[in-house]
Structures are given as structure tokens and as C-alpha cells.
Amino acid sequence: TAASAGPGGSQIFIDGFTGGRNLPTKAGISEIVINQNRYTAEYDRLGFNRIDIRLTPAADAFRVESEFFFNHQSLNARNPFADRRAPSQARYFLGSVSGPLIDKRASFFAAFQRRETDDNAIVNARVLNPNFNVVAFGDSVPTAHRVLYTDFRVNYALNKNNSLVVKYQYIPLSA
């Protein structure tokens, strides 16, 4: 099978859930299973390169990670459809914390991501002036975009072969 077989390519599942934006740390992964059998009956879709990341329910230590990204208009070229470089900024804040809840039985993972983008929509048009002559009009209209993603997960080892995962994730529809 090809690496991007099926609509959207490979599917990544973390403890059976899809749609996660934050991948777990390497220390929290117990196994990675890649299903290449497209006719596997245990899944609801054809098994085109399904990647299952299974987390260990027992974290051994507390971990805190954070990242910050910044971009400013002075670092970028002018939009070729605008007559001047419009003000713009992008800021991304990312953070996560994980650790044990019950020794060798339960752990938690919490993460957030905040995106703040101050960009511009470029307007190029032909309009009528007061003398009803067609003239070119161009402008940059400020646009702001703010999005917050959150992810919280608790893993609990029921026994040697089974674990319980409780997960809450907020991803806005406009993202």
C-alpha cells in the first residue's frame, strides 16, 4: 500500500482517539502499531496505514514543556498584491504538563495551544471617484484571529493488558 493511500493519507490514533494536535512525549509511549492490512475487521474504516500510538498508563516523572513562536512584519516580504507592507504579527504559545497520579497505575497529560494572528486582508478593486471615473483602489484591512486548543487525558491501568483512558479535548470549529 502507498503511504498516502485513502482520503487524507495515514490516520494517527492516540489511545484510540483521533484528531489530537499534541503528540505525546517519547517517554510516555508504550508502543506504536502500524496497521497495513486494509481489510482488518476490527476498525470502522479500511485499514489504510492506520498508526496506533499506545501510551503507558504509568508515567515515571513529572514533565513540563513549553514553546513560544513569534513572527513580525519586519521579518517578512511585502505582499506582492499590496502597495506597502502592512503590519502583521503571529504568536503561538504551547505548553504541556504530564506526570504520575498513582505510582505505576495512573498518569495524566494536559496541554494547551494558543494562536494569536494579527494579519491583513488585501483589497484590490476598481471604484468610481467623485467625477465618475474608474480608478484603482487598494488597501489592507486588519484581521485578527485567536484560537485556543486544550487537551486533557488520564490513563489508568486496569490490569496487565487493559487500561482505561479518559480524555477531554477542545478544538474550535473555526480552526
Side-chain angles (χ1 to χ4, degrees):
T1 58
S4 61
S10 298
Q11 295 175 303
I12 298 176
F13 292 80
I14 300 173
D15 278 339
F17 293 97
T18 62
R21 295 188 178 274
N22 297 309
L23 291 176
T25 61
K26 189 169 55 169
I29 297 174
S30 66
E31 69 178 319
I32 298 174
V33 177
I34 300 173
N35 177 28
Q36 294 179 333
N37 179 358
R38 67 180 69 186
Y39 303 111
T40 301
E42 67 182 290
Y43 304 121
D44 62 338
R45 298 184 185 151
L46 290 177
F48 291 118
N49 295 324
R50 176 185 169 115
I51 301 169
D52 281 304
I53 299 174
R54 297 181 183 148
L55 304 178
T56 179
D60 57 350
F62 285 97
R63 289 183 175 75
V64 177
E65 298 178 357
S66 65
E67 297 178 33
F68 174 71
F69 298 95
F70 178 77
N71 192 353
H72 190 264
Q73 76 262 11
S74 62
L75 303 171
N76 299 319
R78 175 184 59 84
N79 186 319
F81 297 106
D83 57 352
R84 61 182 170 79
R85 183 172 22 198
S88 65
Q89 253 190 30
R91 297 165 303 279
Y92 300 145
F93 307 90
L94 299 100
S96 67
V97 61
S98 62
L101 289 174
I102 301 171
D103 190 36
K104 298 183 181 179
R105 296 281 298 188
S107 63
F108 75 95
F109 174 81
F112 78 94
Q113 181 183 62
R114 170 82 175 169
R115 293 183 183 184
E116 299 176 353
T117 306
D118 298 318
D119 208 353
N120 294 278
I122 307 301
V123 177
N124 287 315
R126 298 222 174 254
V127 297
L128 297 176
N129 67 9
N131 297 327
F132 296 104
N133 296 320
V134 176
V135 295
F137 172 80
D139 199 7
S140 299
V141 179
T143 60
H145 189 66
R146 307 285 189 262
V147 180
L148 176 69
Y149 305 97
T150 60
D151 188 4
F152 182 75
R153 181 175 55 245
V154 174
N155 294 8
Y156 180 76
L158 297 171
N159 55 39
K160 181 181 174 187
N161 296 321
N162 298 299
S163 63
L164 174 68
V165 178
V166 177
K167 180 174 180 166
Y168 172 79
Q169 188 174 43
Y170 174 74
I171 300 174
L173 294 176
S174 63

